[in-house]
Amino acid sequence: GAVVSQHPSWVICKSGTSVKIECRSLDFQATTMFWYRQFPKQSLMLMATSNEGSKATYEQGVEKDKFLINHASLTLSTLTVTSAHPEDSSFYICSTSHRVGETDTQYFGPGTRLTVL
Amino acid sequence: QKEVEQNSGPLSVPEGAIASLNCTYSDRGSQSFFWYRQYSGKSPELIMSIYSNGDKEDGRFTAQLNKASQYVSLLIRDSQPSDSATYLCAVSRRRDDKIIFGKGTRLHILP
C-alpha cells in the first residue's frame, strides 16, 4: 500500500501553545488528504478534508480557526492546533486517497499522539 | 440512524476458528466499502476493499457485500492471536470522497 508519514509521532505541550503536525505522502502525489481525530476507545472522526492549493473543507462542529490546515504541496499537508487545551489531547491521524485503476483507497499515516498539559 | 453500524463487541473466537464481523450502512449511494484493522495505539491498516456485490477473498480474509441489504461482512479464517484487534468498517459515496467509519468491533482470539 501507499506510504504516508506523520511528524511528530507524539508531542506533549503546555496549555495555550500551538502544535503543528505534518503529514507527508511519500510515494505518490496527493491532491486530497484527510485529517481525523480519535479519542480513546472511540472511532475515527473526520475533522477536515485538505485540498492542495485551496481551502480545507471542515466537518460540522470542527473549528476552522482552531485547527488550521495547510496543503501547500502535493505531498505535504499540515494541521496546526492553535492555543491547545487539555480537551484537544487526542490521536490525530492523516490519510491520503490513492487511485489505482478505477478504485480509490485511503491509506493512513501512523498518527500523532497529542497530550496537552 | 447511524451511518455505519457495527457491534462493538468484544467478539471472542477460539484460535483456528472463523471470525465473522458484520457491518450495516444507511446510505444507499455508497459505492466503496473497506475493512480496516486497528491495533491499540496504532493507526488503521487497510485489510480489504470491496466495490461490487458478492465475495472477495484475500488470503485468510473474505469480504462480502450485499448492496440490496446494505450489509458488509468480513470473515477471517484460521483465526490467529495476532488477529486480535479492532476492526473498522468504512464506506464512501464516491471517489476522493470522505470515508465514514463505524465505531469498530473488538475481536479477541482466544489461544
Side-chain angles (χ1 to χ4, degrees):
Chain A
V3 180
V4 181
S5 71
Q6 277 184 247
H7 178 80
S9 56
W10 59 271
V11 57
I12 301 173
C13 69
K14 293 182 178 180
S15 184
T17 60
S18 294
V19 176
K20 179 185 284 188
I21 302 170
E22 294 184 348
C23 176
R24 293 183 184 275
S25 176
L26 298 182
D27 53 1
F28 68 93
Q29 294 180 331
T31 56
T32 304
M33 292 186 177
F34 303 89
W35 285 98
Y36 294 84
R37 178 168 56 181
Q38 186 176 37
F39 292 107
K41 297 187 178 181
Q42 294 189 24
S43 189
L44 291 161
M45 295 302 297
L46 179 67
M47 299 176 68
T49 302
S50 172
N51 305 299
E52 188 268 336
S54 64
K55 292 182 178 180
T57 304
Y58 289 81
E59 295 299 300
Q60 189 175 11
V62 178
E63 299 176 57
K64 300 179 183 181
D65 295 331
K66 182 168 183 64
F67 298 100
L68 301 178
I69 291 173
N70 184 284
H71 194 154
S73 78
L74 288 171
T75 59
L76 173 65
S77 175
T78 60
L79 168 68
T80 301
V81 183
T82 62
S83 186
H85 291 284
E87 58 266 29
D88 298 323
S89 298
S90 188
F91 192 41
Y92 292 85
I93 311 172
C94 71
S95 72
T96 64
S97 182
H98 185 43
R99 179 170 300 170
V100 178
E102 293 297 307
T103 61
D104 289 296
T105 303
Q106 280 196 21
Y107 295 94
F108 286 87
T112 297
R113 190 163 301 283
L114 169 64
T115 302
V116 184
L117 302 177
Chain B
Q1 182 183 12
K2 296 179 181 177
E3 294 185 74
V4 180
E5 292 205 53
Q6 295 180 256
N7 189 318
S8 62
L11 174 65
S12 296
V13 174
E15 183 177 356
I18 296 175
S20 177
L21 303 163
N22 304 314
C23 170
T24 58
Y25 60 95
S26 61
D27 185 354
R28 283 196 171 275
S30 299
Q31 297 293 323
S32 304
F33 307 85
F34 308 90
W35 282 100
Y36 287 85
R37 177 175 61 196
Q38 186 175 25
Y39 293 113
S40 180
K42 303 294 185 181
S43 68
E45 170 192 12
L46 180 68
I47 297 176
M48 295 279 288
S49 57
I50 187 167
Y51 306 95
S52 54
N53 281 327
D55 295 358
K56 179 181 178 182
E57 186 175 318
D58 184 0
R60 295 186 297 113
F61 300 97
T62 299
Q64 299 174 318
L65 173 62
N66 184 326
K67 289 186 178 180
S69 300
Q70 295 174 244
Y71 176 89
V72 192
S73 66
L74 178 70
L75 301 177
I76 306 175
R77 289 181 298 282
D78 188 23
S79 297
Q80 304 295 310
S82 59
D83 294 328
S84 297
T86 296
Y87 288 79
L88 303 170
C89 173
V91 306
S92 69
R93 192 175 179 86
R94 61 180 185 274
R95 292 176 183 175
D96 285 341
D97 201 1
K98 58 185 180 182
I99 288 182
I100 306 299
F101 284 87
K103 291 188 178 296
T105 298
R106 284 187 296 134
L107 175 65
H108 181 50
I109 306 300
L110 304 170

